[in-house]
Amino acid sequence: MSFNPVAIRKDFPIFARTIRDGKRLVYLDSGATAQKPQVVIDAELDFYRLHNAAAHRGAHQLAEEATILFEGAREKVAAFIGAQSDEVVFTKSATESINLIAYAMGNALAGNRFHLAPGDEIVVSQMEHHANLIPWQQLAARTGASLRWFDVTTDGRLDLSQISTLINKKTKVVAITHQSNVLGTINPLDQIVTAAHSVGAVVVLDACQSVPHMKVDVAALDIDFLAFSGHKAVGPTGVGVMWGRAALLVELPPFLTGGSMIADVSMTSATWAPAPAKFEAGVPNMAQAVGLGAAVDYLSQIGMDVIADHEHTLTSDLLGKLLAIDEVALVGPLTMENRGGALSFTVDGIHPHDLGQFLDSQGIAVRTGHHCAWPLTRSLGVPATTRASLYLYNTIEDNDALIDGIHAAMRYFK
Ligand SMILES: Cc1ncc(COP(=O)(O)O)c(C=O)c1O
């Protein structure tokens, strides 16, 4: 069966509505959040309608059903990323997942492999989303460790010439994005993981912009931790995933403490349950996790390779059409090599916010600004950019609508 995005759009109720006085919705903002298919909405709704109870807590049928659904969602997510289910921790978002890892490392005492102290180094890159930068800045500030980073080259790639000096025997953590939410760059993980592991450092992968768009297998990538958000992968808001290697989750101290994450408690101390419970204090986000389970089922039924191929075709088409406009300056790779479907650009003479507003008046949803990657935007020497980000429900017609919109904006603002 060949992939048909027009049929796929019918799975997403939002595409039945119009925008700005009857215009077709051209949604090019999936990098911020993806639209939801009916099966995901139904799964979340059905949880509340039929099964709502506190998972792992009650002695009654509803609690049993809630537990089965919640743990079933964990198994689905684990299979989706090539992990074991007890390595998958549900959080509220990728932001929380990365904070969990960084705060938990900060809780490690001397002797624990995650203990950081002055002289230790954490490596990030200049293309990180704030969610994979600030938690590490803060960890460095709390522990006395130093933060170091890969620069970004003018063609939007990591400057790998720095790898042997940046990743050295002082390095404890390398936290890197798989795919840039601004540039669309897909980073060369092999080299980074090999370099990190050769000095005993762990690799934390921000997979927010990759897990929804391509097959990601944690075992094949040989990484140590991974974070992504459900809402960017056609799942609900309020659920994210933190994956960690089983052996590392044994040693990593907890971040949040409280109910459900303990083995034993006295008035003065407590011991921890094994992972994943150790990292899931409190009644969890069950309905959202169940919705995410439905989302990964939905994506898997289509096939991540099929989705990636479709996005490749769309990205290549849009890249060519943007590059053909003299007034458009694209930031990020200008070729399709290791490039995903986030395309950020400026248009000569039009402020990105004005362009965003103009496109919105045409029914075209894009993102404008620094895209939560302020150091990167600064390094590119632009105040802001306009970003179109593509997903499985986009079509060549959407690309053409954007290109027509840019031409119309150029006429309007001139
Ligand atoms: C690359 C990247 N990392 C992290 C995040 C943070 O995700 P969330 O806001 O869902 O926690 C985003 C969101 O845009 C992102 O694009």
Side-chain angles (χ1 to χ4, degrees):
M1 200 184 67
S2 67
F3 179 77
N4 178 1
V6 178
I8 291 284
R9 287 170 82 84
K10 297 206 166 65
D11 295 339
F12 292 76
I14 207 157
F15 291 121
R17 67 161 288 181
T18 55
I19 230 79
R20 301 277 177 224
D21 299 329
K23 297 196 179 65
R24 176 179 178 273
L25 168 60
V26 178
Y27 189 74
L28 297 174
D29 199 18
S30 299
T33 196
Q35 297 303 344
K36 319 300 173 202
Q38 188 66 48
V39 283
V40 167
I41 299 168
D42 287 346
E44 194 171 355
L45 214 64
D46 280 353
F47 182 87
Y48 287 126
R49 282 193 322 118
L50 301 170
H51 311 288
N52 185 52
H56 295 298
R57 291 197 182 190
H60 50 83
Q61 182 177 342
L62 289 181
E64 189 181 305
E65 288 175 12
T67 305
I68 290 170
L69 284 167
F70 180 59
E71 291 306 324
R74 196 190 307 280
E75 279 166 27
K76 289 175 186 190
V77 169
F80 189 64
I81 58 169
Q84 302 168 33
S85 52
D86 58 2
E87 297 173 323
V88 168
V89 173
F90 286 119
T91 60
K92 87 170 164 62
S93 60
T95 300
E96 185 180 300
S97 300
I98 298 167
N99 273 280
L100 184 167
I101 302 165
Y103 271 96
M105 287 181 179
N107 290 339
L109 302 175
N112 183 300
R113 69 165 290 161
F114 295 112
H115 180 71
L116 290 170
D120 293 332
E121 294 182 355
I122 302 167
V123 174
V124 294
S125 86
Q126 211 180 17
M127 67 167 77
E128 299 311 313
H129 186 282
H130 297 160
N132 197 35
L133 172 61
I134 304 171
W136 304 114
Q137 290 177 348
Q138 292 293 302
L139 180 63
R142 281 194 302 275
T143 59
S146 306
L147 190 72
R148 305 192 63 190
W149 56 89
F150 284 99
D151 292 323
V152 174
T153 60
T154 46
D155 59 344
R157 309 276 180 191
L158 289 185
D159 184 357
L160 286 177
S161 69
Q162 299 172 305
I163 197 164
S164 56
T165 45
L166 268 184
I167 302 182
N168 59 59
K169 58 185 192 318
K170 296 182 198 158
T171 312
K172 291 291 182 298
V173 181
V174 179
I176 208 92
T177 190
H178 198 179
Q179 177 170 318
S180 163
N181 62 310
V182 181
L183 307 167
T185 313
I186 299 172
N187 285 323
L189 295 181
D190 281 3
Q191 283 180 67
I192 294 170
V193 170
T194 305
H197 286 172
S198 74
V199 295
V202 291
V203 177
V204 179
L205 189 67
D206 175 353
C208 261
Q209 300 290 344
S210 59
V211 162
H213 302 282
M214 62 175 94
K215 179 78 200 137
V216 171
D217 184 302
V218 292
L221 292 176
D222 198 27
I223 51 175
D224 302 294
F225 294 96
L226 168 141
F228 74 95
S229 281
H231 70 92
K232 294 186 200 284
V234 307
T237 51
V239 61
V241 168
M242 189 285 279
W243 167 84
R245 271 181 204 271
L248 295 178
L249 294 185
V250 172
E251 218 171 328
L252 188 70
F255 163 41
L256 297 175
T257 54
S260 298
M261 52 75 70
I262 45 79
D264 190 26
V265 185
S266 73
M267 277 314 292
T268 51
S269 66
T271 54
W272 318 135
K278 177 182 172 185
F279 301 103
E280 290 180 355
V283 173
N285 40 358
M286 299 158 296
Q288 292 77 6
V290 169
L292 179 56
V296 302
D297 275 351
Y298 177 81
L299 295 174
S300 303
Q301 274 157 21
I302 296 169
M304 290 312 293
D305 289 341
V306 173
I307 293 171
D309 278 354
H310 173 63
E311 285 185 34
H312 189 87
T313 305
L314 286 179
T315 306
S316 164
D317 175 76
L318 187 54
L319 188 63
K321 287 171 179 165
L322 286 169
L323 291 175
I325 306 175
D326 287 344
E327 291 81 354
V328 167
L330 217 105
V331 297
L334 302 184
T335 67
M336 284 304 295
E337 197 193 340
N338 289 327
R339 187 193 213 299
L343 298 109
S344 298
F345 54 91
T346 54
V347 179
D348 199 20
I350 311 179
H351 192 280
H353 295 301
D354 292 336
L355 179 62
Q357 213 172 349
F358 183 87
L359 292 172
D360 173 54
S361 74
Q362 311 294 304
I364 304 166
V366 292
R367 169 115 190 244
T368 62
H370 53 63
H371 315 295
C372 300
W374 214 338
L376 173 65
T377 321
R378 283 211 181 97
S379 81
L380 296 169
V382 287
T385 60
T386 301
R387 180 187 72 185
S389 48
L390 301 162
Y391 207 6
L392 74 165
Y393 37 63
N394 289 120
T395 59
I396 298 286
E397 197 185 348
D398 291 340
N399 286 353
D400 290 340
L402 175 66
I403 298 298
D404 290 348
I406 294 171
H407 281 296
M410 291 194 306
R411 285 193 299 274
Y412 180 84
F413 286 102
K414 269 165 195 164

